[in-house]
Amino acid sequence: MSAEEQEHSPDDVQQHLRMVQELLARQRLGEDLANRQEAGEGILQREHLEEMRELLEGMHPADIAFVLEALPLEDRLFVWNLVKAERDGEILLEVSDAVRESLIETMEPEELKAAAESLDADELADLAPNLPPEVIQDVYQSLDPEGREQLRAAMSYPEDTVGALMDFDMVTVREDVTLEVVLRYLRRFEELPDHTDKLFVVDRDEHLRGILTLENLLIHDPEMEVAEVMGTEPVISFIPEDDAGDAAQAFERYDLVSAPVVDSEKRVIGRLTVADMVDYIREEGEQEILSNAGLREEEDIFASVWDSVKNRWAWLAINLVTAVFASRVIGLFEGSIEKLVALAALMPIIAGIGGNSGNQTITMIVRAIAMGQIEPSAMRRLLRKEIGVALFNGVVWGGFLGAMAWWLYGNWQLGVVMTSAMTLNLLLAASAGVIIPMMRMRMGKDPALGGSVMITALTDSGGFFIFLGLATIFLL
């Protein structure tokens, strides 16, 4: 496929991946032939390399990043070395943190410096934590005074704030000029900044006065002044210290494409774009999934065994402790299980349904926290509501399981115990599903971290204890 054909199918990243994998397979075959000293293999290898270079050249940096993430380390580095050096910076920004580390480790300081110098200040700030200090220092010295100030500002704001996400590439105009002047000014640009749907109207001191949409710029008389057409509705703007999650919600609520970022004196210092928000939401979603499973950080799927072990061991150790505790709970009732074998067959049902119900509750609560829909003061109200849901489900589904146990084992008392244990374990799961994330939020911790692990441990141990305890009291 030629570069021109690829430009007409930018969404076909899976096909690109398959083509790269096929070319890598051919390359390995060529190497095997070379080792056997077969004739003509050198020409074949060169043809495969050239074909892969052409393929990569026609791909978007984000697609190349996807391909790199999907390849084992050896193949990944081989492909990475074929990428044109001037695209290194863009691709490093697109790949995941874990894969980025594997690529940076193979690059010389001069290569890293060249890649970093190709980026804007806000992009460089994103890449800076992964670069060696000496490279950052060299790049900083190479910037002009404005670039240094922008880089310093971008790196000074905490992660997950608007200041850490904003970019400095924007267009501002004065309110006392005509639209014709604005149009002539825009024609001086080779291209407008990405996602430019509006121009920020400022005074002589860069204070935000309003916005001029491109639509108003184009449909009104060029002789009119900006102040006449810039609109009177309130301008949605942000300050650098604003929470990035709140900004993402505002973008979704008001269908924003871009928005100005202002300082404490209302001077325009940057802007947010929908692309920034989409990236943030995606990263937060991935982090929430990882946290809920007890993973500390994003993991390269082709990472070494040791790296994966380090990422996963902590919550596995906790899970091991809770599993041992659950087994000891069962051990307390060995005599009961020996007398009534049906208990061994039924108790996994109690624990499994409780764990599923608890995970449903904690997922809903964590989502609501992430979207800013609930405050810590709402815990009691949420607890009452979830207990009501658990009570209903416990009576209905517990009753169904109780009837099934009665039918299977001919023991109505066992059915009553089954219904009671199911109801009590669902109440325990609902309570934990609300309390665990809400208490972590109050303590300033990630409410999603290890949620499913903790819920499963609690409903397993609690479910076994409740079911076997009730059976011991009422059946034996």
Side-chain angles (χ1 to χ4, degrees):
M1 180 183 292
S2 69
E4 292 179 355
E5 290 173 325
Q6 294 168 38
E7 291 175 1
H8 288 88
S9 55
D11 60 333
D12 205 1
V13 64
Q14 289 289 346
Q15 182 179 354
H16 290 155
L17 173 60
R18 288 192 294 270
M19 293 176 68
V20 169
Q21 291 172 329
E22 182 181 343
L23 289 170
L24 285 169
R26 292 179 187 174
Q27 182 67 20
R28 283 191 291 269
L29 179 60
E31 290 174 356
D32 289 342
L33 291 173
N35 292 333
R36 299 172 188 172
Q37 298 183 346
E38 296 283 347
E41 68 278 0
I43 297 175
L44 284 175
Q45 285 181 276
R46 287 194 295 272
E47 288 179 353
H48 296 154
L49 285 176
E50 187 59 33
E51 189 175 353
M52 192 177 302
R53 285 195 182 95
E54 290 181 4
L55 176 63
L56 294 170
E57 186 177 347
M59 290 170 60
H60 189 278
D63 291 345
I64 297 177
F66 175 86
V67 169
L68 292 172
E69 291 173 354
L71 294 175
L73 183 59
E74 183 179 350
D75 290 342
R76 177 187 302 160
L77 297 182
F78 183 84
V79 172
W80 176 240
N81 289 328
L82 296 178
V83 174
K84 285 191 175 180
E86 60 265 23
R87 306 183 73 190
D88 285 355
E90 294 177 285
I91 298 169
L92 287 174
L93 284 175
E94 296 288 348
V95 295
S96 65
D97 291 344
V99 173
R100 184 184 300 155
E101 290 178 8
S102 71
L103 299 178
I104 287 177
E105 287 174 358
T106 68
M107 299 176 69
E108 297 295 330
E110 288 303 316
E111 293 178 301
L112 289 173
K113 180 182 176 183
E117 288 176 342
S118 68
L119 303 175
D120 295 331
D122 58 294
E123 296 172 329
L124 181 55
D126 292 336
L127 190 60
N130 299 107
L131 297 177
E134 60 272 16
V135 172
I136 289 294
Q137 185 62 31
D138 288 345
V139 173
Y140 181 80
Q141 294 297 331
S142 69
L143 297 174
D144 57 33
E146 183 182 6
R148 292 181 187 179
E149 181 58 33
Q150 290 177 348
L151 178 59
R152 188 162 50 242
M155 295 182 66
S156 67
Y157 297 109
E159 194 175 357
D160 295 336
T161 63
V162 165
L165 298 177
M166 69 178 178
D167 68 60
F168 304 97
D169 195 10
M170 57 187 173
V171 180
T172 60
V173 295
R174 297 269 297 280
E175 61 183 330
D176 56 354
V177 300
T178 65
L179 300 184
E180 176 60 33
V181 171
V182 174
L183 288 168
R184 287 203 305 269
Y185 172 60
L186 294 180
R187 292 189 190 104
R188 294 168 55 187
F189 288 83
E190 292 185 5
E191 60 180 4
L192 291 177
D194 292 338
H195 307 292
T196 297
D197 66 319
K198 60 178 71 76
L199 311 180
F200 305 143
V201 183
V202 298
D203 61 18
R204 294 179 182 275
D205 297 316
E206 299 298 320
H207 295 115
L208 181 64
R209 303 291 297 172
I211 59 171
L212 173 63
T213 65
L214 295 186
E215 179 183 7
N216 282 338
L217 174 63
L218 294 174
I219 66 175
H220 285 91
D221 186 345
E223 298 302 319
M224 297 179 69
E225 290 190 350
V226 170
E228 297 179 74
V229 298
M230 69 179 186
T232 57
E233 66 277 1
V235 178
I236 298 172
S237 62
F238 304 94
I239 61 173
E241 294 77 17
D242 282 341
D243 182 75
D246 294 339
Q249 291 175 34
F251 265 71
E252 187 274 333
R253 185 179 305 118
Y254 302 114
D255 295 326
L256 299 177
V257 175
S258 66
V261 180
V262 299
D263 62 15
S264 57
E265 298 180 6
K266 296 295 182 182
R267 285 192 295 260
V268 179
I269 58 174
R271 68 168 185 152
L272 283 180
T273 69
V274 66
D276 301 322
M277 294 296 95
V278 169
D279 288 343
Y280 172 79
I281 292 169
R282 176 182 56 80
E283 291 171 4
E284 285 296 297
E286 292 173 352
Q287 186 59 45
E288 183 175 318
I289 293 172
L290 294 172
S291 296
N292 205 33
L295 295 173
R296 295 183 301 163
E297 60 187 22
E298 186 177 8
E299 181 181 308
D300 179 1
I301 196 65
F302 296 107
S304 68
V305 172
W306 179 240
D307 287 340
S308 295
V309 167
K310 288 190 296 182
N311 188 33
R312 304 181 195 184
W313 76 269
W315 281 97
L316 287 178
I318 294 173
N319 207 13
L320 175 63
V321 172
T322 59
V324 170
F325 181 77
S327 72
R328 297 317 306 147
V329 170
I330 296 174
L332 294 174
F333 299 96
E334 285 181 355
S336 302
I337 295 173
E338 288 176 358
K339 294 177 183 178
L340 188 58
V341 180
L343 300 179
L346 295 174
M347 65 184 185
I349 300 176
I350 302 293
I353 297 297
N356 182 269
S357 176
N359 278 315
Q360 288 178 342
T361 301
I362 202 170
T363 299
M364 293 297 296
I365 298 298
V366 168
R367 176 184 177 276
I369 292 173
M371 297 184 67
Q373 295 175 339
I374 56 177
E375 297 293 332
S377 59
M379 186 166 71
R380 286 188 180 181
R381 187 169 68 253
L382 291 170
L383 196 56
R384 286 195 300 269
K385 180 253 185 178
E386 291 299 327
I387 286 177
V389 173
L391 186 61
F392 179 85
N393 284 331
V395 171
V396 173
W397 296 110
F400 172 77
L401 290 172
M404 185 182 72
W406 182 5
W407 177 68
L408 287 174
Y409 299 100
N411 188 333
W412 68 267
Q413 294 99 326
L414 179 60
V416 173
V417 166
M418 190 77 175
T419 301
S420 302
M422 175 67 75
T423 303
L424 290 173
N425 200 31
L426 288 181
L427 290 172
L428 174 64
S431 301
V434 174
I435 292 173
I436 289 173
M438 294 294 288
M439 291 302 295
R440 289 187 64 84
M441 180 176 69
R442 284 187 175 182
M443 294 185 293
K445 305 294 185 180
D446 182 359
L449 183 59
S452 64
V453 177
M454 290 186 280
I455 284 288
T456 301
L458 191 60
T459 53
D460 281 355
S461 300
F464 294 150
F465 183 81
I466 292 169
F467 179 57
L468 296 176
L470 291 175
T472 301
I473 294 172
F474 296 105
L475 300 179
L476 302 173

Short mmCIF file of all heavy atoms in Angstrom, two decimals, residues 5-28:
data_model
loop_
_atom_site.label_atom_id
_atom_site.label_comp_id
_atom_site.label_asym_id
_atom_site.label_seq_id
_atom_site.Cartn_x
_atom_site.Cartn_y
_atom_site.Cartn_z
N GLU A 5 -2.34 5.97 -0.65
CA GLU A 5 -3.51 5.15 -0.36
C GLU A 5 -3.78 5.12 1.14
O GLU A 5 -4.92 5.12 1.58
CB GLU A 5 -3.27 3.73 -0.88
CG GLU A 5 -3.27 3.64 -2.39
CD GLU A 5 -2.86 2.27 -2.86
OE1 GLU A 5 -1.99 1.65 -2.20
OE2 GLU A 5 -3.39 1.80 -3.87
N GLN A 6 -2.71 5.11 1.95
CA GLN A 6 -2.88 5.09 3.38
C GLN A 6 -3.56 6.35 3.88
O GLN A 6 -4.34 6.30 4.83
CB GLN A 6 -1.52 4.94 4.08
CG GLN A 6 -0.86 3.59 3.82
CD GLN A 6 0.59 3.61 4.27
OE1 GLN A 6 0.92 4.21 5.28
NE2 GLN A 6 1.45 2.97 3.50
N GLU A 7 -3.29 7.46 3.25
CA GLU A 7 -3.89 8.72 3.69
C GLU A 7 -5.39 8.70 3.52
O GLU A 7 -6.09 9.47 4.17
CB GLU A 7 -3.27 9.88 2.91
CG GLU A 7 -1.82 10.14 3.27
CD GLU A 7 -1.20 11.21 2.40
OE1 GLU A 7 -1.91 11.76 1.53
OE2 GLU A 7 -0.01 11.51 2.60
N HIS A 8 -5.90 7.82 2.67
CA HIS A 8 -7.33 7.74 2.47
C HIS A 8 -7.99 6.75 3.42
O HIS A 8 -9.20 6.56 3.37
CB HIS A 8 -7.64 7.35 1.01
CG HIS A 8 -7.35 8.44 0.03
ND1 HIS A 8 -6.12 8.61 -0.53
CD2 HIS A 8 -8.15 9.43 -0.46
CE1 HIS A 8 -6.15 9.66 -1.35
NE2 HIS A 8 -7.36 10.17 -1.33
N SER A 9 -7.20 6.06 4.25
CA SER A 9 -7.78 5.12 5.21
C SER A 9 -7.08 5.23 6.57
O SER A 9 -6.44 4.29 7.02
CB SER A 9 -7.66 3.69 4.70
OG SER A 9 -6.30 3.39 4.40
N PRO A 10 -7.15 6.40 7.21
CA PRO A 10 -6.40 6.62 8.45
C PRO A 10 -6.91 5.81 9.62
O PRO A 10 -6.21 5.66 10.62
CB PRO A 10 -6.60 8.12 8.70
CG PRO A 10 -7.89 8.45 8.02
CD PRO A 10 -7.93 7.58 6.81
N ASP A 11 -8.13 5.27 9.53
CA ASP A 11 -8.69 4.52 10.65
C ASP A 11 -8.34 3.05 10.60
O ASP A 11 -8.69 2.29 11.51
CB ASP A 11 -10.21 4.69 10.68
CG ASP A 11 -10.88 4.21 9.42
OD1 ASP A 11 -10.19 4.23 8.37
OD2 ASP A 11 -12.06 3.83 9.47
N ASP A 12 -7.64 2.62 9.59
CA ASP A 12 -7.39 1.20 9.41
C ASP A 12 -6.10 0.79 10.12
O ASP A 12 -5.20 0.21 9.54
CB ASP A 12 -7.30 0.86 7.92
CG ASP A 12 -7.64 -0.60 7.65
OD1 ASP A 12 -7.95 -1.33 8.61
OD2 ASP A 12 -7.57 -0.99 6.49
N VAL A 13 -6.02 1.11 11.41
CA VAL A 13 -4.79 0.86 12.15
C VAL A 13 -4.54 -0.63 12.33
O VAL A 13 -3.39 -1.08 12.36
CB VAL A 13 -4.84 1.60 13.51
CG1 VAL A 13 -5.95 1.05 14.40
CG2 VAL A 13 -3.50 1.50 14.23
N GLN A 14 -5.60 -1.42 12.44
CA GLN A 14 -5.42 -2.86 12.59
C GLN A 14 -4.76 -3.46 11.34
O GLN A 14 -3.92 -4.34 11.43
CB GLN A 14 -6.77 -3.53 12.85
CG GLN A 14 -7.35 -3.25 14.23
CD GLN A 14 -6.58 -3.94 15.34
OE1 GLN A 14 -5.77 -4.83 15.08
NE2 GLN A 14 -6.81 -3.52 16.57
N GLN A 15 -5.15 -2.94 10.17
CA GLN A 15 -4.53 -3.41 8.94
C GLN A 15 -3.05 -3.03 8.90
O GLN A 15 -2.21 -3.81 8.47
CB GLN A 15 -5.25 -2.85 7.72
CG GLN A 15 -4.68 -3.35 6.40
CD GLN A 15 -5.43 -2.80 5.19
OE1 GLN A 15 -6.43 -2.13 5.34
NE2 GLN A 15 -4.91 -3.08 4.01
N HIS A 16 -2.73 -1.81 9.35
CA HIS A 16 -1.34 -1.39 9.43
C HIS A 16 -0.54 -2.32 10.32
O HIS A 16 0.60 -2.70 10.01
CB HIS A 16 -1.25 0.05 9.96
CG HIS A 16 -1.75 1.07 9.00
ND1 HIS A 16 -2.23 2.30 9.41
CD2 HIS A 16 -1.86 1.06 7.65
CE1 HIS A 16 -2.60 2.99 8.34
NE2 HIS A 16 -2.39 2.26 7.27
N LEU A 17 -1.12 -2.68 11.47
CA LEU A 17 -0.43 -3.58 12.39
C LEU A 17 -0.16 -4.92 11.72
O LEU A 17 0.95 -5.48 11.83
CB LEU A 17 -1.27 -3.76 13.66
CG LEU A 17 -0.75 -4.80 14.66
CD1 LEU A 17 0.64 -4.44 15.14
CD2 LEU A 17 -1.72 -4.91 15.83
N ARG A 18 -1.16 -5.47 11.04
CA ARG A 18 -0.97 -6.75 10.37
C ARG A 18 0.10 -6.68 9.30
O ARG A 18 0.90 -7.62 9.13
CB ARG A 18 -2.30 -7.23 9.77
CG ARG A 18 -3.33 -7.68 10.81
CD ARG A 18 -4.50 -8.39 10.14
NE ARG A 18 -5.28 -7.48 9.31
CZ ARG A 18 -6.31 -6.77 9.73
NH1 ARG A 18 -6.69 -6.85 11.01
NH2 ARG A 18 -6.97 -5.98 8.91
N MET A 19 0.14 -5.55 8.58
CA MET A 19 1.14 -5.40 7.54
C MET A 19 2.54 -5.32 8.13
O MET A 19 3.49 -5.92 7.60
CB MET A 19 0.84 -4.14 6.71
CG MET A 19 -0.45 -4.24 5.89
SD MET A 19 -0.84 -2.71 5.03
CE MET A 19 0.49 -2.65 3.82
N VAL A 20 2.68 -4.58 9.24
CA VAL A 20 3.99 -4.49 9.90
C VAL A 20 4.42 -5.87 10.39
O VAL A 20 5.58 -6.27 10.22
CB VAL A 20 3.94 -3.48 11.07
CG1 VAL A 20 5.19 -3.59 11.92
CG2 VAL A 20 3.79 -2.06 10.53
N GLN A 21 3.50 -6.61 10.99
CA GLN A 21 3.84 -7.94 11.49
C GLN A 21 4.24 -8.87 10.34
O GLN A 21 5.17 -9.67 10.49
CB GLN A 21 2.65 -8.53 12.26
CG GLN A 21 2.38 -7.81 13.58
CD GLN A 21 1.08 -8.26 14.22
OE1 GLN A 21 0.13 -8.63 13.54
NE2 GLN A 21 1.03 -8.21 15.55
N GLU A 22 3.56 -8.74 9.21
CA GLU A 22 3.90 -9.57 8.05
C GLU A 22 5.29 -9.21 7.53
O GLU A 22 6.09 -10.10 7.20
CB GLU A 22 2.85 -9.39 6.95
CG GLU A 22 3.10 -10.24 5.72
CD GLU A 22 2.05 -10.02 4.64
OE1 GLU A 22 0.98 -9.46 4.95
OE2 GLU A 22 2.32 -10.41 3.48
N LEU A 23 5.59 -7.93 7.45
CA LEU A 23 6.91 -7.51 6.98
C LEU A 23 8.01 -7.93 7.95
O LEU A 23 9.12 -8.28 7.53
CB LEU A 23 6.93 -5.99 6.79
CG LEU A 23 6.11 -5.46 5.60
CD1 LEU A 23 5.99 -3.94 5.66
CD2 LEU A 23 6.75 -5.90 4.28
N LEU A 24 7.71 -7.90 9.25
CA LEU A 24 8.69 -8.36 10.23
C LEU A 24 8.95 -9.86 10.06
O LEU A 24 10.10 -10.31 10.18
CB LEU A 24 8.18 -8.08 11.64
CG LEU A 24 8.23 -6.61 12.10
CD1 LEU A 24 7.45 -6.44 13.40
CD2 LEU A 24 9.68 -6.16 12.29
N ALA A 25 7.89 -10.61 9.78
CA ALA A 25 8.07 -12.05 9.55
C ALA A 25 8.93 -12.30 8.31
O ALA A 25 9.81 -13.17 8.32
CB ALA A 25 6.70 -12.72 9.41
N ARG A 26 8.69 -11.53 7.26
CA ARG A 26 9.51 -11.67 6.05
C ARG A 26 10.97 -11.29 6.33
O ARG A 26 11.90 -11.93 5.83
CB ARG A 26 8.96 -10.78 4.95
CG ARG A 26 7.60 -11.19 4.41
CD ARG A 26 7.17 -10.20 3.33
NE ARG A 26 5.81 -10.44 2.88
CZ ARG A 26 5.17 -9.63 2.03
NH1 ARG A 26 5.79 -8.55 1.55
NH2 ARG A 26 3.94 -9.91 1.67
N GLN A 27 11.16 -10.25 7.14
CA GLN A 27 12.50 -9.81 7.47
C GLN A 27 13.26 -10.90 8.24
O GLN A 27 14.43 -11.18 7.96
CB GLN A 27 12.43 -8.53 8.32
CG GLN A 27 13.79 -7.94 8.70
CD GLN A 27 14.54 -7.42 7.50
OE1 GLN A 27 13.94 -7.16 6.46
NE2 GLN A 27 15.85 -7.26 7.63
N ARG A 28 12.56 -11.54 9.18
CA ARG A 28 13.21 -12.62 9.94
C ARG A 28 13.55 -13.79 9.01
O ARG A 28 14.60 -14.43 9.15
CB ARG A 28 12.30 -13.09 11.07
CG ARG A 28 12.30 -12.13 12.26
CD ARG A 28 11.61 -12.76 13.45
NE ARG A 28 10.17 -12.91 13.22
CZ ARG A 28 9.27 -12.01 13.55
NH1 ARG A 28 9.65 -10.87 14.13
NH2 ARG A 28 7.99 -12.21 13.32
#
